Amino acid sequence: MSNLQNPDRATLEEWLQDMHVDNYLCGECEGLHVTALQSVEGIVNSRIFVQQSNLLFTTELEIRPMAVLPLSSELGRINMDYPSLKVFLDVVDDATPQLVVAAGLLSSAGVAQQQFSDFVITTMDGTRLLADECLQLDFLFAEASQPRAGGSRSVH
């Protein structure tokens, strides 16, 4: 168990580099931005934060305002379909609604590099699948050049 450590941001940067997961610091927050997820359509931001007793991996997806109600009715199913993720809506008056996807890894007792790697890969894979499902259900803003499948286009 001597390979367990309570990782700091520098350690996470090294581990992510070993995993070939591109990341950067933006200078505006303490999180390591995960470039691979931020390039996925619909994803606004994806970061890993070092907190006192855990590591927090969060990703925000930009939701179409008209999709808030149908998406909120799907949240129970989504949280059951993606058990390693915590998924919730963030709706603020003057901002575009977002779907927040989060995962946590307790780190106070120490974390091995392989454990961190499994955590990151599992979280990234689940988040990609969820983003793809949300695109298919027409919940997210999609690129204008790509046609969207699914969802209703009728105006009420």
Side-chain angles (χ1 to χ4, degrees):
M1 291 221 178
S2 62
N3 61 349
L4 294 180
Q5 57 182 304
N6 196 345
D8 59 8
R9 191 174 63 208
T11 303
L12 296 186
E13 285 179 290
E14 181 183 319
W15 287 354
L16 289 168
Q17 183 179 7
D18 290 347
M19 296 172 57
H20 305 287
V21 174
D22 290 333
N23 64 87
Y24 67 92
L25 287 170
C26 69
E28 294 183 24
C29 71
E30 295 295 316
L32 292 169
H33 292 258
V34 180
T35 308
L37 280 179
Q38 290 184 176
S39 64
V40 173
E41 187 174 10
I43 292 181
V44 179
N45 220 343
S46 187
R47 299 168 288 189
I48 300 174
F49 293 95
V50 177
Q51 298 184 324
Q52 187 173 3
S53 62
N54 69 331
L55 304 176
L56 179 64
F57 195 148
T58 66
T59 302
E60 294 91 28
L61 294 88
E62 195 170 41
I63 303 300
R64 292 178 40 244
M66 292 181 65
V68 169
L69 189 57
L71 177 56
S72 64
S73 71
E74 291 283 330
L75 280 178
R77 179 195 58 80
I78 288 171
N79 276 296
M80 290 191 59
D81 286 351
Y82 300 91
S84 64
L85 304 175
K86 300 291 183 189
V87 183
F88 59 93
L89 276 170
D90 183 21
V91 181
V92 182
D93 289 340
D94 294 335
T96 304
Q98 293 186 345
L99 185 67
V100 179
V101 180
L105 177 65
L106 293 176
S107 61
S108 57
V111 176
Q113 184 173 359
Q114 184 60 47
Q115 182 183 11
F116 174 74
S117 177
D118 290 345
F119 167 70
V120 169
I121 290 169
T122 300
T123 303
M124 288 177 64
D125 289 346
T127 302
R128 280 188 186 109
L129 286 172
L130 178 58
D132 185 52
E133 180 180 345
C134 287
L135 276 170
Q136 295 300 316
L137 292 171
D138 203 24
F139 292 157
L140 305 180
F141 282 112
E143 297 292 325
S145 61
Q146 296 187 7
R148 289 184 277 189
S152 171
R153 303 223 192 278
S154 63
V155 178
H156 301 282

